[in-house]
């Protein structure tokens, strides 16, 4: 297995040739914030939260592969500001009501905002009119919270082999669509990976909300990415 | 002896839960009382400002013209204005009406809602009732806000940390555990 050596914020990192910068950083105990990237799902490069500078050029760390001698910058004030803006925009572009969202405490968008220290977004709320699909007996979609990361689209295709989700429309009219008139007319099951991978409260299982008490939820005490940064085997 | 800094609070389109969280600083409120003077607030029930205030704490967003008037008054009267809680920062639960046309919203609430008793079939239109805005606005979309303490309600410790930092001139950057949106 051929290996390459490069640096992230001055730290020397050894990686397997062909590995993405995001994966190589993670293996080295460096957390690069991300939203659309998820474990074994095919990288999508759509959210751009994982943007880093590679040899001076901005690249999405989830799709860019490592190269020998590359100089990668991640935690620079410029890139942190860039990521903060992306998260800010995602908050105002949808209707995110954390105070009653069942995903609160487990939501990756919220957790990133906490990590970036965002107390209030800088942009005006757009308050779009979006639907909620409650037709399925075990799962619901709240489009108000969907950030169009495409995790469910990829998980449904690649892991569940079902193709339940797809994107339709362009730009601000882009939205998630299911392969039926409603979610109940698809073959989606509550146990499908597509449901598990949603980073926000858009695709949720019914009757399990608020199962974990406040204070014990994933991001209540531990910032997102801290598990990667404090791992002992890195 | 220089006079104590004055603190004023107000509840706009909110549920008073953030004020409850202020009271939830428990016995530290006695320490606060020795260090500050409360101006217009429900704590002493003063309805009008007595003097210029060092800190104004605003809970709730702006859903009607009275909220906007009060918020603008707070901005003029206070050196530092704090947006306290999710309603002040993003409109909160009242902002759920923001993507529904106002008339449709009122008709649903007063005419069509199951269990509504409204024999004259009219929408409330008394001139005493403040005029509703087209949507609920977070405070920072109406006036300049200096500090934000999110949460529904914000943890009492976050409020205490922010207030003591302000009163002692220290940095008021929130610690991770205090930054909560729910």
């Amino acid at each position: 297995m051929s290996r390459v050596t490069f640096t992230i914020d001055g730290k020397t990192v050894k990686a397997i040739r062909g590995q993405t910068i995001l994966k190589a950083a993670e293996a080295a105990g460096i957390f690069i914030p991300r939203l659309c990237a998820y474990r074994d799902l095919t990288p999508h490069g759509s959210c751009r939260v994982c943007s880093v500078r590679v040899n001076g050029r901005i690249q999405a760390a989830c799709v860019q592969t490592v190269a020998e001698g590359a100089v990668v910058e991640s935690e620079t004030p410029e890139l942190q500001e860039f990521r903060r803006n992306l998260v800010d925009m995602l908050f105002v572009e949808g209707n995110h009501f954390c105070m009653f969202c069942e995903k609160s405490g487990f939501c990756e968008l919220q957790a990133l905002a906490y990590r970036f220290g965002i107390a209030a977004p800088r942009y005006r709320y757009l308050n779009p009119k979006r639907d909620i699909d409650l037709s399925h007996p075990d799962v619901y979609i709240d489009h108000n919270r969907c950030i169009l990361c495409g995790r469910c689209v990829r998980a449904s295709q690649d892991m569940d082999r079902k193709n339940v989700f797809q994107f339709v429309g362009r730009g601000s009219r882009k939205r998630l669509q299911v392969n039926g008139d409603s979610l109940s007319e698809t073959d989606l099951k509550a146990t499908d990976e597509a449901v598990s991978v949603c980073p926000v409260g858009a695709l949720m299982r019914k009757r399990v909300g608020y199962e974990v008490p406040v204070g014990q939820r994933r991001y209540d005490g531990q910032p997102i990415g801290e598990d990667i940064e404090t791992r002992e085997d890195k | 002896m220089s006079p104590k800094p004055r603190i004023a609070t107000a509840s706009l389109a909110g549920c008073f839960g953030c004020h409850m969280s202020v009271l939830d600083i428990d016995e530290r409120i006695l320490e606060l009382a020795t260090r500050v003077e409360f101006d217009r607030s429900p704590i002493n029930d003063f309805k009008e400002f007595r003097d210029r205030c060092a800190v104004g704490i605003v809970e709730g967003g702006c859903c009607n013209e009275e909220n906007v008037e009060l918020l603008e008054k707070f901005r003029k009267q206070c050196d530092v204005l704090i947006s306290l809680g999710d309603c002040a920062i993003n409109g909160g639960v009242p902002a759920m009406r923001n993507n529904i046309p106002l008339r449709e919203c009122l008709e649903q609430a007063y005419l069509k809602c199951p269990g509504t008793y409204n024999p004259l079939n009219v929408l409330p239109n008394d001139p005493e009732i403040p005029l509703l805005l087209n949507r609920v606005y977070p405070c920072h979309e109406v006036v300049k806000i200096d500090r934000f303490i999110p949460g529904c309600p914000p943890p009492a410790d976050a409020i205490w940390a922010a207030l003591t930092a302000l009163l002692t001139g220290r940095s008021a950057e929130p610690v991770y555990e205090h930054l909560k949106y729910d």
Side-chain angles (χ1 to χ4, degrees), chain A residues 129, chain B residues 99-109 112:
Chain A
K129 186 167 175 53
Chain B
N99 49 31
I100 304 166
L102 185 57
R103 173 158 287 277
E104 204 179 300
C105 198
L106 286 168
E107 283 175 355
Q108 182 64 36
K112 298 176 184 167

Side-chain angles (χ1 to χ4, degrees), chain A residues 130-142:
Chain A
R130 295 196 190 157
D131 297 329
I132 302 174
D133 185 341
L134 293 161
S135 61
H136 193 284
D138 302 314
V139 180
Y140 70 88
I141 300 180
D142 188 343

Side-chain angles (χ1 to χ4, degrees), chain B residues 23-39:
Chain B
L23 296 178
D24 208 24
I25 63 177
D26 299 332
E27 70 274 14
R28 288 173 294 188
I29 205 154
L30 299 173
E31 190 189 330
L32 190 63
T34 63
R35 292 162 71 170
V36 303
E37 199 77 54
F38 275 97
D39 202 285

Side-chain angles (χ1 to χ4, degrees), chain A residues 14-223:
Chain A
K14 289 189 192 313
I16 302 160
R17 191 175 295 279
Q19 209 173 14
T20 64
I21 293 172
L22 192 80
K23 293 270 182 198
E26 199 166 311
I30 298 167
F31 175 69
I32 298 174
R34 79 293 300 265
L35 268 174
C36 70
Y38 184 79
R39 271 185 237 150
D40 300 324
L41 289 182
T42 318
H44 203 231
S46 55
C47 77
R48 300 280 150 172
V49 172
C50 69
S51 293
V52 290
R53 260 189 199 281
V54 186
N55 296 334
R57 290 184 62 186
I58 290 185
Q59 308 277 6
C62 68
V63 287
Q64 182 67 36
T65 51
V66 294
E68 180 65 38
V71 177
V72 178
E73 295 166 273
S74 175
E75 292 290 304
T76 65
E78 177 211 23
L79 288 165
Q80 281 167 326
E81 182 68 10
F82 185 39
R83 291 172 188 148
R84 189 207 139 114
N85 273 338
L86 285 172
V87 171
D88 265 2
M89 286 189 270
L90 286 171
F91 266 103
V92 298
E93 191 240 16
N95 299 310
H96 298 273
F97 295 103
C98 296
M99 73 289 278
F100 60 79
C101 179
E102 294 175 27
K103 192 84 170 197
S104 194
F106 292 95
C107 170
E108 292 177 37
L109 177 68
Q110 184 193 59
L112 280 177
Y114 289 166
R115 187 176 164 117
F116 299 157
I118 298 173
R122 298 170 183 171
Y123 305 107
R124 293 180 79 87
Y125 293 96
L126 299 183
N127 305 124
K129 186 167 175 53
R130 295 196 190 157
D131 297 329
I132 302 174
D133 185 341
L134 293 161
S135 61
H136 193 284
D138 302 314
V139 180
Y140 70 88
I141 300 180
D142 188 343
H143 290 279
N144 292 295
R145 303 169 185 158
C146 180
I147 56 168
L148 304 173
C149 66
R151 281 193 194 176
C152 57
V153 177
R154 287 172 282 153
S156 186
Q157 284 172 354
D158 302 344
M159 298 162 95
D160 302 330
R161 308 282 172 201
K162 286 187 177 175
N163 202 19
V164 173
F165 303 99
Q166 252 321 331
F167 287 132
V168 292
R170 297 270 178 207
S172 62
R173 294 188 180 170
K174 185 175 175 179
R175 65 190 172 83
L176 191 65
Q177 180 66 282
V178 296
N179 64 350
D181 286 338
S182 66
L183 199 58
S184 61
E185 292 180 19
T186 69
D187 54 353
L188 183 78
K189 295 273 177 289
T191 48
D192 286 355
E193 290 292 333
V195 183
S196 306
V197 297
C198 181
V200 291
L203 195 52
M204 298 287 286
R205 290 192 185 93
K206 292 182 178 177
R207 296 179 295 279
V208 289
Y210 313 111
E211 205 171 34
V212 182
V214 173
Q216 295 171 28
R217 302 166 306 178
R218 188 177 303 148
Y219 302 120
D220 279 342
Q222 175 181 295

